[in-house]
Amino acid sequence: MKILVVEDDKSLRQIIRETLDAEGMVVETAPTYAKAMLKLEDYSYDCVLLDIMLPDGSGMDLLDYMKSIGKRENVIIISAKDSTDDKVLGLDKGADDYLAKPFHIAELVARVRSVVRRKDHGGEMAVTFGNIALRPDKSAVTVAGTPLDLNRKELDILAYFLTRPNHLVNKQTLAEAVWGDHIDQVDNFDFLYAQMKNLRKKMKDACADVEIRAVYGIGYKMTKI
């Protein structure tokens, strides 16, 4: 699950990032309206946590901008402004939820999982394809009911493909989705190839009836065997 935190308060931004990272999410941050625009233009996210009072613009305007460029990310507004008018305006502009500051960080985590599950998975906790089932809330995977032991990145890769079955995924897009901001620090895709090799072997050894097939020169596709 990939999250963008648009928040100008450095300490709150860091707390949110560390908490969501500990929950197994890939987290990127943007402290300003301008940086958030650049992130949203270049990348896709499962959820955007959006402060509406930014130093160089309004989060409400950013919602309009996201709509204008066809972005469909889940959005949770996090704001010190707790007026009914602001809540109504934000929801009317396309936000999925509104959380007033100060808030308990555990509630924020729960709301992130809730909006992503509600919109992307039809409210179901388990994401399935073939005989593979993933429970994002528990970071647990089973193959035909038997637990499959994966490391964090293998789990993130599998989760990405389970929500995009039969879709060709470019390796650059996959790397950006799973490694986030850190992708800019690497020179090649050896790290991705290593994780993918291990994941595909584990799926095969567990007798999964789906595979992640390499498409030469482009990327990968998850299909039924």
Side-chain angles (χ1 to χ4, degrees), residues 64-98:
D64 290 334
Y65 176 72
M66 291 173 65
K67 184 176 181 179
S68 72
I69 62 174
K71 303 297 287 187
R72 298 180 179 273
E73 275 80 350
N74 301 289
V75 176
I76 300 176
I77 293 175
I78 51 175
S79 176
K81 300 177 70 176
D82 192 22
S83 72
T84 300
D85 288 345
D86 284 321
K87 290 180 180 179
V88 171
L89 179 59
L91 294 172
D92 282 346
K93 286 179 175 290
D96 300 276
D97 203 350
Y98 192 110

Side-chain angles (χ1 to χ4, degrees), residues 53-54 63 72 101 119 126-127 146 160 166 169 189 197:
M53 299 176 66
L54 299 169
L63 281 171
R72 298 180 179 273
K101 300 176 184 177
K119 181 174 286 188
V127 185
T146 301
Y160 192 84
N166 299 309
V169 177
F189 290 98
K197 179 181 178 181

Side-chain angles (χ1 to χ4, degrees), residues 45-69:
Y45 301 90
D46 295 294
C47 186
V48 177
L49 302 179
L50 178 62
D51 185 7
I52 61 174
M53 299 176 66
L54 299 169
D56 57 341
S58 166
M60 295 295 186
D61 292 337
L62 193 60
L63 281 171
D64 290 334
Y65 176 72
M66 291 173 65
K67 184 176 181 179
S68 72
I69 62 174

Side-chain angles (χ1 to χ4, degrees), residues 24-57:
M25 303 179 194
V26 177
V27 185
E28 297 184 3
T29 62
T32 65
Y33 181 99
K35 289 185 177 180
M37 283 181 63
L38 292 176
K39 290 279 189 182
L40 289 164
E41 288 171 355
D42 292 339
Y43 305 109
S44 295
Y45 301 90
D46 295 294
C47 186
V48 177
L49 302 179
L50 178 62
D51 185 7
I52 61 174
M53 299 176 66
L54 299 169
D56 57 341

